Amino acid sequence: MNWNLAYLLHPPWDTGITPPELIELVEGGALPPGRALDLGCGTGTNVIYLARHGFDAVGVDAAWLALLRARRKAQAAGIQARFVLANVLNLEHNVDPSLNKPFDFCLDIGCFHSFGPAERRRYIAGLRRLLRPGGHYLLYAFGPRCRGSRTIGLTSDQVKESLADCCRLVWERHGSERGASSGWYYFQRMASSEPASI
């Protein structure tokens, strides 16, 4: 997909609204400020929100146009945040200085669910490197649905099985978006010695 073209056309996912699930974690005190990474940050709405709440916030996205808008929004808001042009499937080897120190929190609203099994393994390899043991990961994912000629999305079991070797599920919540199922999943990164669980 041409992500820059998508941002020229005002994509439906670029709402400019921070989701209540993230607000609950941050403002409810469950997620204290630390280093935060938004995987597929788009125009930076949630990076700016996290920075406003005391996080050292970094966003990555493959669309330079989205990042241009994100930097402008952050500057207009008087927010210090870093935005990195990168593919979330190549973060295991990314050498940008802002990605060389572990993060306390990673956020993904809408990337992971678009990948096939091999891509999910690459993504998780990057997540393992970036998220410190004990750190938290909030994921929003579509349930299975048709998009054009392909099916995207994951069942709850597929999400949990994909992450079982590195993350422990804290909670999950299910709903729907545009007539199809969706879910929020909140994980904690396990130490390498912890037993895997679903």
Side-chain angles (χ1 to χ4, degrees):
M1 181 170 183
N2 185 326
W3 296 109
N4 289 301
L5 179 59
Y7 279 97
L8 278 174
L9 300 174
H10 304 291
W13 61 82
D14 186 28
T15 64
I17 299 169
T18 293
E21 291 78 6
L22 178 57
I23 293 171
E24 175 189 330
L25 290 174
V26 172
E27 297 181 31
L31 190 64
R35 274 177 52 80
L37 176 64
D38 187 351
L39 297 156
C41 67
T43 61
T45 298
N46 297 309
V47 175
I48 292 168
Y49 171 81
L50 289 163
R52 275 196 178 116
H53 287 81
F55 287 81
D56 176 10
V58 179
V60 298
D61 204 283
W64 64 263
L65 181 55
L67 296 182
L68 177 65
R69 292 178 182 169
R71 292 182 183 110
R72 287 177 177 166
K73 283 168 60 175
Q75 184 176 23
I79 294 295
Q80 291 287 331
R82 181 157 176 80
F83 297 97
V84 178
L85 182 64
N87 185 323
V88 298
L89 295 178
N90 295 328
L91 295 180
E92 185 181 8
H93 306 294
N94 196 289
V95 294
D96 186 280
S98 63
L99 301 178
N100 284 339
K101 182 180 173 187
F103 288 87
D104 303 295
F105 174 59
C106 290
L107 172 67
D108 178 340
I109 301 178
C111 282
F112 190 66
H113 64 211
S114 64
F115 301 139
E119 293 171 316
R120 291 199 296 271
R121 287 191 291 273
R122 286 171 57 196
Y123 174 105
I124 291 166
L127 184 67
R128 279 180 184 274
R129 184 180 77 80
L130 292 164
L131 183 61
R132 68 165 178 80
H136 290 89
Y137 172 58
L138 180 63
L139 170 68
Y140 173 76
F142 288 160
R145 64 185 68 189
C146 291
R147 179 179 283 171
S149 61
R150 60 188 285 251
T151 298
I152 66 162
L154 300 165
T155 66
S156 171
D157 285 345
Q158 286 175 313
V159 169
K160 291 180 285 188
E161 287 165 8
S162 294
L163 290 152
D165 288 341
C166 72
C167 293
R168 176 181 63 83
L169 182 68
V170 178
W171 54 251
E172 65 181 297
R173 297 175 186 168
H174 295 280
S176 63
E177 182 180 333
R178 287 178 249 155
S181 64
S182 62
W184 287 92
Y185 305 86
Y186 186 48
F187 291 93
Q188 184 170 32
R189 169 87 154 83
M190 297 184 296
S192 56
S193 59
E194 276 187 74
S197 62
I198 296 177

